[in-house]
Amino acid sequence: MLAHYYRELLRFLQGTVRDRDTAADLAQESYARVLAVQQSGEAINEPRALLYRTARNLVIDQYRRSEVRGTYAAAEGDSSVDAVDLTAGPEALEPEVAAMSSQTVDALLTAIGELPLRCREAFILHKFDGLSQAEVARQMGISVTMVERHIKLGMQACRACQEQMRGGGRSLPLTAQSWSGK
């Protein structure tokens, strides 16, 4: 069942770390950890969510290790660098920021999950799997114009979710009327 998400996870990781080999290593390690949990007998209600959370945590760990290595290497010749400065992580890895980021990702995945089935499929194929609109249209047996509409609706749902997370605007309802453009 988890193998279904491999390509999607690999593309996500490639976009995050910007290195194909590192992304492949992180994806493999993510799968190994999730499979270990699964084999331990623990029930996994949302395997995709656990897989993504594990991958994201591995990316953060890798970033921390590379930052520490780089900071120590640069500081070896600089005696003015305080030891406290060496242990401080980047602001993006602070617990509050990480929690907000995790909540945002979860909210966006929920918003995407609530899209109509065909819309969600087109959106995921284009945004996560990296297929062109023409490739999505061929695979789904629909027109490119319909794919464009699906992607537009998916993007609107994501923007509305982000606005709602910022405490801003109201969410856009995904109704038949909003779909037909009326």
Side-chain angles (χ1 to χ4, degrees):
M1 177 170 65
L2 288 174
H4 173 72
Y5 305 118
Y6 181 78
R7 215 171 71 180
E8 177 184 330
L9 179 68
L10 187 59
R11 287 189 191 277
F12 165 75
L13 288 168
Q14 284 175 345
T16 303
V17 298
R18 306 274 188 236
D19 179 72
R20 178 175 288 211
D21 294 332
T22 303
D25 290 344
L26 291 169
Q28 182 177 356
E29 180 63 23
S30 299
Y31 268 89
R33 290 185 182 195
V34 170
L35 288 173
V37 169
Q38 200 173 38
Q39 289 175 350
S40 73
E42 188 175 331
I44 301 174
N45 295 334
E46 295 290 333
R48 183 172 179 261
L50 179 61
L51 190 62
Y52 270 81
R53 184 169 305 265
T54 303
R56 187 176 47 79
N57 289 342
L58 288 171
V59 168
I60 290 169
D61 289 345
Q62 180 198 23
Y63 179 77
R64 285 179 179 157
R65 280 191 304 274
S66 67
E67 283 296 305
V68 168
R69 283 185 198 127
T71 303
Y72 279 120
E76 280 182 358
D78 186 1
S79 61
S80 67
V81 176
D82 188 9
V84 173
D85 292 338
L86 293 175
T87 59
E91 184 180 316
L93 298 178
E94 292 297 319
E96 297 83 16
V97 176
M100 287 175 42
S101 176
S102 175
Q103 290 171 353
T104 301
V105 169
D106 291 344
L108 285 170
L109 289 175
T110 299
I112 292 167
E114 292 174 352
L115 291 170
L117 180 63
R118 298 288 281 172
C119 177
R120 180 175 59 236
E121 181 182 359
F123 186 78
I124 289 172
L125 287 171
H126 181 68
K127 292 294 183 182
F128 291 99
D129 291 349
L131 299 181
S132 70
Q133 292 178 358
E135 291 169 325
V136 173
R138 266 193 305 280
Q139 185 167 332
M140 293 181 65
I142 58 177
S143 70
V144 174
T145 303
M146 199 65 193
V147 170
E148 290 170 354
R149 288 181 186 165
H150 286 316
I151 293 168
K152 181 180 177 183
L153 183 62
M155 292 301 296
Q156 287 173 341
C158 289
R159 279 190 209 105
C161 176
Q162 287 176 320
E163 287 176 20
Q164 191 173 22
M165 290 294 293
R166 284 188 213 117
R170 57 184 177 81
S171 63
L172 297 175
L174 297 177
T175 64
Q177 286 184 331
S178 67
W179 173 245
S180 65
K182 295 179 181 176

